[in-house]
């Protein structure tokens, strides 16, 4: 339930707001320079005569999905090891608890850093 709400609000709401803003804003020379002659936007009209709209160019999800899947697998492996060694996934003695938490935070930070790097390097 809450994941669906997060996805709809986290992705859907900003996209809807952007679409409304672009529709209301009217023609923009920056948009015209970038999208008027771009292939694949036939739904906006003929090349050179397109109405302005919110456009999100498709990118590759392969890198992000690969990194996410790898890190998710590492997280599951960490939890499985903790269950075998400590008898539970979360909590426990001080040092192992903090090491496990640090590993999970490090994986999260690495995911953000790698995703940002990939996004910025492809521009």
């Amino acid at each position: 339930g809450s994941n669906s709400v997060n996805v709809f609000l986290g992705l859907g709401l900003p996209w809807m707001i952007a679409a409304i803003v672009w529709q209301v804003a009217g023609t923009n020379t920056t948009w015209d320079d970038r999208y008027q002659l771009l292939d694949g936007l036939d739904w906006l009209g003929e090349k050179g005569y397109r109405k302005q709209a919110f456009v999100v160019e498709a990118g590759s999800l392969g890198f992000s999905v690969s990194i996410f899947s790898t890190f998710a697998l590492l997280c599951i492996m960490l939890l499985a090891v903790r269950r075998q060694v400590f008898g539970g996934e979360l909590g426990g003695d001080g040092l192992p608890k903090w090491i496990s938490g640090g590993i999970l935070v490090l994986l999260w930070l690495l995911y953000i850093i790698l995703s940002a790097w990939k996004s910025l390097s492809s521009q």
Side-chain angles (χ1 to χ4, degrees):
S2 68
N3 287 339
S4 298
V5 171
N6 289 339
V7 169
F8 290 133
L9 290 179
L11 293 176
L13 189 60
W15 282 32
M16 182 185 72
I17 291 170
I20 291 169
V21 167
W22 277 103
Q23 185 65 35
V24 171
T27 305
N28 179 315
T29 56
T30 304
W31 188 93
D32 284 341
D33 292 343
R34 187 167 186 176
Y35 297 114
Q36 276 298 347
L37 301 177
L38 190 66
D39 289 329
L41 297 177
D42 297 332
W43 55 275
L44 288 173
E46 262 184 72
K47 286 184 178 182
Y49 300 100
R50 293 179 173 154
K51 62 179 182 176
Q52 185 167 309
F54 179 55
V55 177
V56 178
E57 295 180 55
S60 172
L61 288 177
F63 180 80
S64 184
V65 169
S66 298
I67 297 297
F68 179 84
S69 298
T70 301
F71 288 177
L73 185 61
L74 289 173
C75 288
I76 291 170
M77 289 170 47
L78 175 66
L79 294 176
V81 167
R82 284 189 54 84
R83 176 177 276 188
Q84 292 297 316
V85 175
F86 302 112
E89 292 86 8
L90 302 174
D93 294 331
L95 186 59
K97 174 177 61 176
W98 285 102
I99 291 172
S100 297
I103 291 171
L104 295 174
V105 169
L106 178 66
L107 289 174
W108 175 67
L109 288 172
L110 279 173
Y111 176 75
I112 291 172
I113 290 167
L114 290 172
S115 295
W117 169 77
K118 178 65 173 170
S119 177
L120 293 174
S121 68
S122 64
Q123 290 182 357

